[in-house]
Amino acid sequence: MDNFFKHYPLVQYGNTVANTVAVNIFAKVAFQKSIQQNFEVFHPYTITEGDRADTIAYLYYGDAGYDWLVYFSNNIVDPYYDWYMDTDSLNRFISDKYGSLTEARRKIKFFRSNYLSDDSMITTAAYAALSSNQKRFWAPITNLNNNIVRYERKKEDINFETNKIQQLNITLVGNTSFSNGEFVSQLSSGVTVGTGSVNFSNSSVCIVSNVIGTLSTSNNLKGGNSGANASVSSVNTLSTSISSDIQVYFEGVSFYDYENEINEQKKNIRLIDLSYVTQIEEQFKALLSS
């Protein structure tokens, strides 16, 4: 880690005689464009659990001190959080950020089209029977004569911040109120029938988004963190982004899945070819000293 920061320039801060000198971690360094655009300079590398920048640098360059080169070639500014985290580190990070792993897993961050997990195909007759709203999620497959023979899920990324927002008129059971942002649910005979996230709440109204299942007047609403409990007298839909006829084409992405996917993307890095290291190092030092 020391090797990473020692390549940064120093900066003075403070407005007294005893100004303090510190490492300027905001310094930005750009490699020569011709090198950045030459893909032959870089080689792909997939990080596995336990890999660190210094161990990769030692294995690839023969010198753990080139960990800074691994960071900079991948535009990594924060070696702690920009680097791929192992399972335990990721879980600690998520737990600290969202309060608990349970909270992160059950709360929905957004909704997206689920074509990646749907490899089904339908006949032309089945396609014709779909509503116009549903047909947009299917793409034609043609034969050699360019005739449509069947349909497959269209590979199109569609995201919505929420599927719908509902207003629940409530009566609190006890003095505890719902907290903004918390996970809420309704259970029937011990089975969860509806969940959501609180956008706003007071003693008589609870606005809920990212609704999974059905929220109704049949069951009490319970808070996941606050422990609040309330009967529901009415449920009104304020807005709908994903109508009921196309819900099957979307999936809710939890905060846990979202953070995990971001972390998985960090696995794939690139390493500068060994033959360019001296040239890059000289240019790097020149840029920092200019």
Side-chain angles (χ1 to χ4, degrees):
M1 189 61 64
D2 291 340
N3 288 318
F4 178 69
F5 290 110
K6 77 177 184 180
H7 290 279
Y8 280 95
L10 299 177
V11 63
Q12 286 189 331
Y13 69 92
N15 54 10
T16 64
V17 176
N19 283 341
T20 303
V21 177
V23 174
N24 181 9
I25 63 173
F26 298 103
K28 297 288 186 179
V29 176
F31 292 128
Q32 188 177 36
K33 287 185 178 180
S34 60
I35 295 176
Q36 284 280 32
Q37 294 170 356
N38 183 359
F39 293 105
E40 294 181 358
V41 173
F42 300 98
H43 301 289
Y45 182 88
T46 301
I47 298 173
T48 59
E49 290 207 10
D51 276 347
R52 302 192 312 268
D54 59 338
T55 59
I56 293 173
Y58 179 78
L59 290 173
Y60 193 73
Y61 301 119
D63 186 347
Y66 280 118
D67 56 350
W68 64 269
L69 188 57
V70 176
Y71 290 131
F72 271 96
S73 60
N74 292 281
N75 198 31
I76 293 175
V77 177
D78 188 332
Y80 294 102
Y81 297 114
D82 291 345
W83 187 258
Y84 171 73
M85 288 182 262
D86 60 35
T87 302
D88 290 339
S89 299
L90 177 64
N91 285 342
R92 286 195 298 270
F93 168 76
I94 293 175
S95 183
D96 290 342
K97 186 173 182 179
Y98 298 103
S100 68
L101 292 179
T102 299
E103 186 74 1
R105 285 190 174 106
R106 64 189 181 184
K107 284 184 62 177
I108 301 298
K109 180 173 177 59
F110 65 93
F111 289 81
R112 68 181 173 199
S113 53
N114 59 5
Y115 68 87
L116 289 174
S117 59
D118 184 1
D119 58 359
S120 61
M121 296 185 183
I122 59 175
T123 64
T124 55
Y127 176 80
L130 296 176
S131 68
S132 58
N133 213 17
Q134 295 170 323
K135 287 180 178 178
R136 65 170 295 194
F137 296 96
W138 297 91
I141 298 175
T142 58
N143 58 19
L144 294 177
N145 296 320
N146 207 32
N147 296 319
I148 298 174
V149 293
R150 57 188 179 275
Y151 288 83
E152 65 179 354
R153 280 296 304 275
K154 183 181 293 184
K155 296 173 176 57
E156 181 181 15
D157 293 315
I158 305 173
N159 295 336
F160 288 104
E161 185 176 346
T162 184
N163 58 342
K164 60 183 172 182
I165 299 175
Q166 294 185 316
Q167 176 178 312
L168 283 64
N169 292 323
I170 61 173
T171 300
L172 292 173
V173 179
N175 298 321
T176 303
S177 300
F178 296 101
S179 303
N180 289 345
E182 80 168 315
F183 174 85
V184 290
S185 63
Q186 286 186 326
L187 281 71
S188 177
S189 301
V191 178
T192 301
V193 293
T195 64
S197 297
V198 177
N199 287 11
F200 167 82
S201 184
N202 57 29
S203 59
S204 59
V205 170
C206 189
I207 307 296
V208 179
S209 64
N210 295 337
V211 178
I212 302 294
T214 302
L215 297 177
S216 69
T217 59
S218 302
N219 306 286
N220 278 17
L221 187 70
K222 297 184 178 181
N225 289 335
S226 65
N229 187 9
S231 61
V232 181
S233 58
S234 65
V235 179
N236 302 303
T237 300
L238 302 180
S239 65
T240 301
S241 300
I242 304 174
S243 57
S244 59
D245 61 328
I246 62 172
Q247 283 184 5
V248 67
Y249 301 120
F250 288 88
E251 63 183 1
V253 178
S254 70
F255 283 88
Y256 182 88
D257 289 338
Y258 170 74
E259 296 290 354
N260 188 60
E261 288 175 7
I262 290 177
N263 190 55
E264 285 298 304
Q265 293 170 5
K266 296 175 183 176
K267 272 186 176 182
N268 301 312
I269 63 173
R270 58 184 190 171
L271 301 175
I272 293 174
D273 189 275
L274 183 61
S275 62
Y276 288 88
V277 170
T278 301
Q279 178 184 351
I280 295 296
E281 185 173 26
E282 290 176 354
Q283 181 191 353
F284 181 78
K285 291 178 179 177
L287 286 169
L288 282 176
S289 61
S290 60

